[in-house]
Amino acid sequence: MSAPPKISVLLPVYKVEPYIEECLDSLLSQTSTDFEIIAVDDSSPDRSGEMTLRILEEQNRIRWQFIKNPVNKGLAETRRIAALAARGDYVLCVDSDDHVHHDLVRRVIEEAETHHADVVIFAAENISPEGKINYRVEAGDAIMSGVEAVEKILDLSMQAYCFNKLVRRSIFLAIEHPSGLIYEDICVSVQTLGKSNVVRLMPDTLYSYMYRESGISTRFNPKIVDIFAIMDRVERSTASMPIRNYRKLLFRLKYVYGYRTIAFQAATKAPTYRLAKPILDSVAERLRLTHLFGMYSDHRSKLSFVMAMLKIHPWLFYCFVRRFGR
């Protein structure tokens, strides 16, 4: 048997028929070949799985495995299934409707080996279907401990995406993967960073995250309330970490980000108030005056004011947000 590759790319495949060819082309044309692709067809109802298998079979430059889930497992569980089949020292999560820089693998291997890093975080960009860059996901340029990286996520100064993080496979397999929940990346990233000793932040933009009209952030999804469960899991996994100003930082992620995201997504994306109301009610029930004061004291007076409307009555909040947006 040949020596294991340095990196295993975890590639869940589900309903990406228009995009999978470009994604695979970006992986198969990498400047380094020291990686493998673990593609998992998560019982996709379209031809995504068939196309993936055909494209992989037609080349012999990059090692690969193809797995088909007999039933749909969801993103988190499918990534875990891919990681269990992987052989690389590190894993890299790639979403199959995105594409990566042609030098991604070589660059992250170089950074991981140079700094003996457990995690390498790189910059990414969000791109529209027309090719316009909507915004950048910055990574910075630093070396830090895993706990310090967790602090940055709690502080909302670092994004918790999985797609821009190379992670040691043993760490990735040692954490909980929240099956069936959306926004699972937050939970996964916090756990992997919390178990890491050395984290390398590199400024290079190596990943293109595509804006899709059907994406999680562009459509109404009642499962947005999964964030409540995600935040509870994050709190459990970080409670024992030696995090400075822990309560303050956790407040930012849980309430400033979590509660705000649920409420604003429901108000802006739901086609009617009737659909938004149960979700807004669930936030209002959990929202306390101490949370509003906490937002205000954290220099977020506008957010405190708008969330106070939600506490008074969801309809008031709904109308204000629909009228004035962000």
Side-chain angles (χ1 to χ4, degrees):
M1 181 179 291
S2 60
K6 195 69 178 178
I7 293 175
S8 295
V9 172
L10 312 184
L11 186 70
V13 177
Y14 185 77
K15 292 179 72 172
V16 288
E17 190 172 324
Y19 319 115
I20 186 61
E21 188 168 357
E22 182 180 9
C23 175
L24 285 169
D25 181 63
S26 71
L27 290 169
L28 296 173
S29 61
Q30 288 292 301
T31 56
S32 170
T33 60
D34 196 7
F35 74 102
E36 64 177 353
I37 298 172
I38 312 296
V40 183
D41 177 2
D42 193 22
S43 277
S44 183
D46 63 3
R47 295 176 54 249
S48 300
E50 300 168 33
M51 293 174 65
T52 300
L53 181 59
R54 175 181 57 79
I55 293 169
L56 291 175
E57 285 180 331
E58 288 176 350
Q59 62 84 44
N60 57 14
R61 181 171 179 265
I62 306 299
R63 287 170 282 183
W64 58 275
Q65 295 183 55
F66 181 83
I67 301 168
K68 183 175 176 63
N69 290 339
V71 295
N72 182 260
K73 300 282 189 178
L75 182 59
E77 179 63 12
T78 298
R79 283 175 176 163
R80 191 185 71 84
I81 290 169
L84 286 169
R87 298 174 60 223
D89 295 333
Y90 293 87
V91 297
L92 183 67
C93 295
V94 173
D95 292 341
S96 49
D97 57 348
D98 299 336
H99 60 267
V100 303
H101 190 279
H102 71 279
D103 207 24
L104 166 65
V105 169
R106 187 192 68 81
R107 291 288 292 112
V108 294
I109 288 175
E110 180 180 72
E111 294 295 324
E113 292 181 337
T114 298
H115 302 287
H116 305 287
D118 298 305
V119 176
V120 176
I121 303 176
F122 45 90
E125 58 191 8
N126 179 274
I127 300 182
S128 71
E130 296 76 32
K132 175 187 175 184
I133 298 176
N134 296 319
Y135 59 85
R136 282 172 49 83
V137 178
E138 303 289 355
D141 187 353
I143 300 170
M144 61 183 60
S145 70
V147 170
E148 288 174 320
V150 171
E151 289 174 356
K152 289 176 70 67
I153 288 180
L154 297 181
D155 192 35
L156 308 182
S157 59
M158 179 189 289
Q159 298 278 11
Y161 298 123
C162 284
F163 60 64
N164 72 329
K165 296 172 179 64
L166 178 78
V167 179
R168 198 175 295 279
R169 181 165 61 96
S170 59
I171 293 175
F172 192 82
L173 286 172
I175 66 163
E176 175 196 16
H177 294 268
S179 180
L181 300 176
I182 65 172
Y183 283 83
E184 68 285 331
D185 279 16
I186 302 171
C187 192
V188 171
S189 292
V190 166
Q191 290 181 85
T192 53
L193 291 169
K195 290 181 177 294
S196 300
N197 292 317
V198 179
V199 177
R200 165 64 173 147
L201 276 58
M202 56 185 295
D204 309 55
T205 302
L206 300 175
Y207 192 101
S208 295
Y209 168 61
M210 308 307 291
Y211 177 92
R212 310 290 185 198
E213 288 296 333
S214 60
I216 189 173
S217 62
T218 60
R219 71 183 192 278
F220 173 62
N221 188 346
K223 281 180 66 60
I224 189 71
V225 294
D226 284 357
I227 293 181
F228 289 133
I230 291 294
M231 292 301 151
D232 288 343
R233 294 185 186 208
V234 168
E235 186 168 5
R236 288 197 300 271
S237 65
T238 56
S240 61
M241 294 182 192
I243 295 173
R244 299 165 295 180
N245 301 316
Y246 175 66
R247 299 316 311 178
K248 180 179 181 179
L249 296 186
L250 180 67
F251 178 87
R252 284 182 183 167
L253 183 69
K254 189 170 184 178
Y255 299 104
V256 173
Y257 170 79
Y259 278 38
R260 179 190 66 191
T261 298
I262 297 171
F264 275 73
Q265 284 276 342
T268 58
K269 304 301 181 185
T272 65
Y273 175 67
R274 182 182 63 82
L275 292 173
K277 186 178 185 302
I279 298 173
L280 296 177
D281 284 341
S282 69
V283 180
E285 288 171 7
R286 291 171 169 84
L287 197 61
R288 302 286 180 263
L289 288 176
T290 54
H291 302 150
L292 299 174
F293 285 127
M295 293 172 189
Y296 185 84
S297 64
D298 198 34
H299 307 292
R300 301 174 194 271
S301 56
K302 291 181 181 179
L303 179 62
S304 177
F305 171 76
V306 177
M307 296 299 278
M309 291 185 184
L310 176 60
K311 189 63 179 174
I312 294 168
H313 200 287
W315 170 249
L316 183 64
F317 173 86
Y318 178 83
C319 292
F320 183 88
V321 172
R322 299 284 284 201
R323 174 66 179 83
F324 296 103
R326 294 184 182 276

